[in-house]
Protein backbone atom coordinates (compact mmCIF):
# COMPACT_ATOMS: atom_id res chain seq x y z
CA UNK A 1 0.00 0.00 0.00
CA UNK A 2 1.49 3.33 -1.04
CA UNK A 3 1.77 6.44 1.11
CA UNK A 4 -0.70 8.15 -1.21
CA UNK A 5 -3.33 5.42 -0.74
CA UNK A 6 -2.81 5.50 3.03
CA UNK A 7 -3.29 9.29 3.00
CA UNK A 8 -6.42 9.09 0.85
CA UNK A 9 -7.85 6.32 3.05
CA UNK A 10 -7.18 8.35 6.21
CA UNK A 11 -8.87 11.42 4.72
CA UNK A 12 -11.88 9.38 3.60
CA UNK A 13 -12.12 7.80 7.04
CA UNK A 14 -11.79 11.16 8.79
CA UNK A 15 -14.45 12.77 6.60
CA UNK A 16 -16.83 9.82 7.02
CA UNK A 17 -16.18 9.77 10.77
CA UNK A 18 -16.88 13.48 11.18
CA UNK A 19 -20.12 13.21 9.20
CA UNK A 20 -21.08 10.06 11.08
CA UNK A 21 -20.63 11.80 14.40
CA UNK A 22 -22.22 15.02 13.17
CA UNK A 23 -25.36 13.77 11.41
CA UNK A 24 -25.33 9.97 11.76
CA UNK A 25 -24.18 9.12 8.23
CA UNK A 26 -20.86 7.89 6.96
CA UNK A 27 -20.87 4.30 5.83
CA UNK A 28 -22.98 3.91 2.77
CA UNK A 29 -23.41 7.57 2.00
CA UNK A 30 -19.78 8.66 2.31
CA UNK A 31 -17.47 5.63 2.40
CA UNK A 32 -18.92 3.72 -0.54
CA UNK A 33 -18.85 6.59 -3.06
CA UNK A 34 -15.45 7.77 -1.79
CA UNK A 35 -13.92 4.29 -2.14
CA UNK A 36 -15.28 4.05 -5.68
CA UNK A 37 -14.24 7.55 -6.75
CA UNK A 38 -10.86 7.92 -5.05
CA UNK A 39 -9.58 4.36 -4.67
CA UNK A 40 -11.30 2.89 -7.75
CA UNK A 41 -13.04 0.10 -5.83
CA UNK A 42 -15.94 -1.65 -7.49
CA UNK A 43 -19.39 -1.35 -5.88
CA UNK A 44 -19.36 -4.72 -4.13
CA UNK A 45 -15.86 -4.28 -2.69
CA UNK A 46 -16.70 -0.76 -1.51
CA UNK A 47 -19.88 -1.96 0.20
CA UNK A 48 -18.07 -4.81 1.92
CA UNK A 49 -15.29 -2.49 3.05
CA UNK A 50 -17.85 -0.03 4.41
CA UNK A 51 -19.59 -2.77 6.39
CA UNK A 52 -16.28 -3.98 7.80
CA UNK A 53 -15.27 -0.46 8.87
CA UNK A 54 -18.56 0.11 10.67
CA UNK A 55 -18.17 -2.86 12.98
CA UNK A 56 -18.39 -2.48 16.72
CA UNK A 57 -14.97 -0.95 17.56
CA UNK A 58 -15.46 2.05 15.29
CA UNK A 59 -19.01 2.91 16.26
CA UNK A 60 -18.65 2.09 19.96
CA UNK A 61 -16.82 5.31 20.93
CA UNK A 62 -19.22 7.57 19.05
CA UNK A 63 -22.18 5.70 20.53
CA UNK A 64 -20.85 6.02 24.10
CA UNK A 65 -20.27 9.76 23.61
CA UNK A 66 -23.73 10.27 22.12
CA UNK A 67 -25.34 8.23 24.89
CA UNK A 68 -23.63 10.25 27.64
CA UNK A 69 -24.50 13.56 25.97
CA UNK A 70 -28.08 12.50 25.27
CA UNK A 71 -28.65 11.75 28.96
CA UNK A 72 -27.31 15.21 29.87
CA UNK A 73 -29.56 16.85 27.27
CA UNK A 74 -32.64 14.90 28.34
CA UNK A 75 -32.88 12.84 25.14
CA UNK A 76 -31.63 9.36 26.12
CA UNK A 77 -31.57 6.49 23.67
CA UNK A 78 -34.44 4.03 23.67
CA UNK A 79 -32.44 0.86 24.35
CA UNK A 80 -35.40 -1.44 23.59
CA UNK A 81 -35.84 0.15 20.18
CA UNK A 82 -32.09 -0.11 19.54
CA UNK A 83 -32.23 -3.84 20.32
CA UNK A 84 -35.16 -4.39 17.95
CA UNK A 85 -33.54 -2.32 15.20
CA UNK A 86 -30.24 -4.16 15.67
CA UNK A 87 -31.95 -7.54 15.35
CA UNK A 88 -33.66 -6.45 12.14
CA UNK A 89 -30.40 -4.93 10.89
CA UNK A 90 -28.49 -8.17 11.52
CA UNK A 91 -31.05 -10.26 9.66
CA UNK A 92 -31.48 -7.67 6.89
CA UNK A 93 -27.72 -7.22 6.52
CA UNK A 94 -27.26 -10.95 6.11
CA UNK A 95 -30.01 -11.15 3.48
CA UNK A 96 -28.79 -7.99 1.72
CA UNK A 97 -25.23 -9.31 1.62
CA UNK A 98 -26.37 -12.56 0.01
CA UNK A 99 -28.42 -10.62 -2.57
CA UNK A 100 -25.61 -8.15 -3.32
CA UNK A 101 -23.24 -10.95 -4.30
CA UNK A 102 -25.79 -12.32 -6.78
CA UNK A 103 -26.64 -8.98 -8.46
CA UNK A 104 -24.58 -7.64 -11.35
CA UNK A 105 -22.16 -5.02 -10.00
CA UNK A 106 -23.29 -2.33 -12.41
CA UNK A 107 -26.94 -2.92 -11.49
CA UNK A 108 -25.97 -2.84 -7.81
CA UNK A 109 -24.20 0.48 -8.33
CA UNK A 110 -27.32 1.92 -9.98
CA UNK A 111 -29.56 0.68 -7.15
CA UNK A 112 -27.20 2.35 -4.68
CA UNK A 113 -27.30 5.63 -6.65
CA UNK A 114 -31.11 5.60 -6.78
CA UNK A 115 -31.32 5.04 -3.02
CA UNK A 116 -28.91 7.94 -2.37
CA UNK A 117 -30.73 10.21 -4.83
CA UNK A 118 -34.17 9.39 -3.41
CA UNK A 119 -32.98 9.90 0.17
CA UNK A 120 -31.44 13.27 -0.64
CA UNK A 121 -34.46 14.33 -2.64
CA UNK A 122 -36.80 13.38 0.20
CA UNK A 123 -34.65 14.99 2.91
CA UNK A 124 -34.61 18.28 0.99
CA UNK A 125 -38.41 18.18 0.66
CA UNK A 126 -38.12 18.36 -3.11
CA UNK A 127 -40.46 15.42 -3.59
CA UNK A 128 -43.42 17.56 -2.47
CA UNK A 129 -42.35 20.48 -4.67
CA UNK A 130 -42.06 18.26 -7.75
CA UNK A 131 -45.32 16.50 -6.93
CA UNK A 132 -47.15 19.83 -6.65
CA UNK A 133 -45.56 21.08 -9.88
CA UNK A 134 -46.64 17.93 -11.77
CA UNK A 135 -50.11 18.11 -10.23
CA UNK A 136 -50.42 21.75 -11.40
CA UNK A 137 -49.45 20.77 -14.93
CA UNK A 138 -52.50 18.54 -15.15
CA UNK A 139 -54.93 20.76 -13.23
Amino acid sequence: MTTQIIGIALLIGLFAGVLSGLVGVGGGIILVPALILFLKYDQLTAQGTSLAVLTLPVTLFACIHYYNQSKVNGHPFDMKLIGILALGFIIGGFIGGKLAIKIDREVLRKIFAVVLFYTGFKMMGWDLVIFKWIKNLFS
Side-chain angles (χ1 to χ4, degrees):
M1 190 176 286
T2 67
T3 305
Q4 183 180 9
I5 290 176
I6 292 170
I8 291 170
L10 281 172
L11 286 173
I12 291 170
L14 179 64
F15 186 65
V18 168
L19 282 176
S20 181
L22 182 65
V23 293
V25 301
I29 293 175
I30 301 303
L31 279 179
V32 173
L35 291 170
I36 291 168
L37 293 172
F38 298 115
L39 296 179
K40 308 300 181 214
Y41 278 34
D42 65 51
Q43 183 71 32
L44 199 56
T45 304
Q47 286 179 194
T49 301
S50 175
L51 287 171
V53 167
L54 296 172
T55 56
L56 186 60
V58 172
T59 59
L60 181 62
F61 296 112
C63 185
I64 289 169
H65 178 72
Y66 260 91
Y67 181 75
N68 290 333
Q69 290 301 309
S70 70
K71 286 183 3 187
V72 170
N73 295 328
H75 300 283
F77 294 172
D78 182 345
M79 296 306 280
K80 290 178 186 175
L81 180 63
I82 290 170
I84 294 167
L85 288 169
L87 178 62
F89 204 101
I90 290 167
I91 295 167
F94 178 77
I95 293 168
K98 286 190 144 313
L99 290 172
I101 292 171
K102 294 179 181 180
I103 296 174
D104 177 73
R105 291 177 189 211
E106 193 58 33
V107 171
L108 189 61
R109 187 171 140 159
K110 289 176 181 171
I111 291 170
F112 180 78
V114 167
V115 169
L116 284 181
F117 181 76
Y118 174 77
T119 302
F121 210 71
K122 190 87 170 143
M123 296 285 295
M124 296 293 287
W126 293 348
D127 59 327
L128 298 175
V129 172
I130 298 295
F131 180 73
K132 287 178 185 176
W133 179 73
I134 291 171
K135 186 177 175 184
N136 287 336
L137 285 176
F138 297 103
S139 296

